[in-house]
Amino acid sequence: MKQDLIAILDLGSEQNAALARQIRAEGVYSEVYPGTITLDELAGKPGLKGVILNPGTNAVNSPSGVGYQTEGLAVPVITALPQDYLGEVYPEDALRAFLFDACHCEKNWNMENFIEDQIALMREQIGNDRVILALSGGVDSSVVAALLIKAIGKQLTCVHVNHGLLRKGEPEEVCRVFREELDADLIYVDAADRFLDLLAGVEDPEQKRMIIGKEFIEVFNEEAAKLQGIKFLAQGTIYPDIVESGMQSGKSVKAHHNVGGLPKDMKFELVEPLKYLFKDEVRACGKALGLPDSMVYRQPFPGPGLGVRCIGAITRDRLEAVRESDAILREEFANAGLQGKVWQYFTLIPDFRSVGVRDNDRCFEWPVIIRAVNTVDAMTATIEPLDWALLGRITDRILNEVKGVNRVLYDITPKPTGTIEWE
Ligand code: XMP
């Protein structure tokens, strides 16, 4: 392995991920392991240079009860005691002394080393077998695909399912980048009609999510069944998905089905090369692998796609109007230099019409609603104070170019009380 490793043992802290990030910011690779890991497993981790026991507030409640015996381990061990969370999570000086004086770590955590290590690990895991991947075009699945192509080339088959709810130009971009630029073995499935037929008349957002998620797995399974000798399923699982799981309150407002998230009970073994990366690291990895900025810095897009932005029962005319107005919004944001500066921006269309006037005639058409928000973790969000001239330009274009729309509205509701999406 190219990288030194500092292991964090989760003994009840809620700040494991934050500590791992703090160590990585020092140039040293760090991973979090459950407190149930055996001493032998821990000692066998490649590149292990030191261990941090992380009991969090458990240590305050019961200082002697950290409870993990590390006797016999050949590397230095410390117990992390959080300061306050005003600033740093753990005292910087003490952390640096541990990393560089006690453990003699080198600052060798970087994307080039990560990519090299992952390629070696994946080649060892996969051997001469074949791998399948659901490539949505999102950042995570795109980076996994690019990594695997580098490691095993055509032993990887990517399946891009177009559920008809993608943004304008997305399926074309996925096919172009992966087929033409990366020479991937990519199966493109246009399943739009299947999804839209199933969704016809369905008004409830959670039911829409369920139908889309279930049908996605159905389509993917059908494609997988046509292929011979697939042993592995690659997934774009990333660190935040696993590291703090089970530690949150778990109270869910929306189901947040990730359409690319396939069930673990499929008969394949999993390949998850990004499962130790944070989101910004995934982007850096994509950049280092040569993916275009449009993919690497893509704004978040919900798995059920435009399906939750065409409010109520989805109709094809409103879906097209959402797709077209969203494309105009993105183009105008890019022209105004706002791409990558505003966290998420999109349009949606509610399921009611209003009276207007067009060419001296009464018209009864849909409104388009613009939403543009900033957030750190999507749990709360503020509104981007958009310039009136920009809003005016976007409004003019939507009213002139999008069929069936006679009004444009701007949603200025923060989260809470409004969620980012309307459904
Ligand atoms: P809300 O609407 O809950 O959204 O404030 C927070 C973030 O999550 C995205 N989102 C989803 N992502 N599947 C996803 O993969 C979903 O069903 C889903 N619903 C919302 C939303 O776009 C925002 O970034």
Side-chain angles (χ1 to χ4, degrees), residues 37-69:
I37 190 170
T38 67
L39 205 58
D40 280 350
E41 284 168 333
L42 190 60
K45 293 286 172 193
L48 187 72
K49 283 288 171 83
V51 175
I52 302 184
L53 306 179
N54 200 23
T57 47
N58 280 353
V60 179
N61 299 335
S62 164
S64 60
V66 171
Y68 193 90
Q69 296 307 323

Side-chain angles (χ1 to χ4, degrees), residues 61-134:
N61 299 335
S62 164
S64 60
V66 171
Y68 193 90
Q69 296 307 323
T70 54
E71 262 160 53
L73 203 62
V75 296
V77 180
I78 51 167
T79 300
L81 295 174
Q83 289 286 79
D84 56 51
Y85 299 140
L86 285 175
E88 293 150 25
V89 180
Y90 294 91
E92 202 173 73
D93 290 348
L95 188 64
R96 284 192 182 148
F98 179 69
L99 298 179
F100 302 113
D101 302 337
C103 303
H104 304 290
C105 288
E106 280 180 40
K107 289 185 181 249
N108 53 15
W109 158 239
N110 60 51
M111 265 317 137
E112 285 64 35
N113 286 344
F114 173 82
I115 290 170
E116 234 179 276
D117 282 350
Q118 283 306 318
I119 286 175
L121 287 171
M122 287 192 296
R123 283 186 181 150
E124 194 182 310
Q125 182 189 7
I126 296 161
N128 292 321
D129 285 302
R130 291 183 68 189
V131 184
I132 192 168
L133 166 76

Side-chain angles (χ1 to χ4, degrees), residues 209 254 256-258 300-304 309 343-344 378 415 419-421:
R209 281 189 169 81
K254 301 176 188 178
H256 278 232
H257 283 299
N258 209 331
F301 185 61
R309 294 180 181 169
W343 197 79
Q344 199 172 9
K415 176 180 181 177
T419 50
I420 293 175
E421 305 287 345

Side-chain angles (χ1 to χ4, degrees), residues 294-351:
S294 55
M295 273 183 180
V296 170
Y297 298 108
R298 199 176 94 132
Q299 54 163 314
F301 185 61
L306 301 179
V308 290
R309 294 180 181 169
C310 190
I311 306 304
I314 298 167
T315 55
R316 289 175 192 244
D317 55 349
R318 280 190 306 127
L319 184 61
E320 268 333 291
V322 175
R323 206 183 324 264
E324 287 302 321
S325 56
D326 176 75
I328 291 171
L329 183 84
R330 285 191 287 141
E331 201 178 304
E332 290 300 327
F333 265 52
N335 291 342
L338 291 175
Q339 199 174 22
K341 292 198 177 129
V342 180
W343 197 79
Q344 199 172 9
Y345 45 95
F346 55 88
T347 62
L348 58 113
I349 299 198
D351 52 354

